[in-house]
Amino acid sequence: LQQGERRPSSLVTLPQATFVVTSTADGGDFNVGDGLCDDGEGACTLRAALEEANFTAAADQIVFNFGPGVTTFNLGGTLSLPE
């Protein structure tokens, strides 16, 4: 590049990990930090996905797999989120 010349650039951030929520239960992750969303019974809850995603500073992705229709989550207790 010549001094003062600019070229267009773009930055794409890809998720470090993708966690697929498969359960509307409220169980926490069985082993936070292992990279697996698992409530200990083989399901991935929203709480477990958030715990795994929040374990690292990476830009993780959480997606939902429930099929058609509306899904309701009833979370009990406290859910700690990073500031």
Side-chain angles (χ1 to χ4, degrees), residues 23-34 36-52 75-76 78-79:
S23 171
T24 59
D26 190 25
D29 194 77
F30 182 72
N31 186 10
V32 176
D34 66 355
L36 302 173
C37 181
D38 184 348
D39 67 354
E41 297 182 18
C44 179
T45 66
L46 177 58
R47 184 178 298 274
L50 288 168
E51 289 173 340
E52 280 295 332
L75 299 177
T78 303
L79 183 61

Side-chain angles (χ1 to χ4, degrees), residues 7 12-13 15 20 22 29 32-33 43 48 51 55 66 69-70 75:
R7 289 192 182 173
V12 177
T13 303
V20 181
T22 58
D29 194 77
V32 176
E51 289 173 340
F55 186 78
F66 296 112
V70 176
L75 299 177

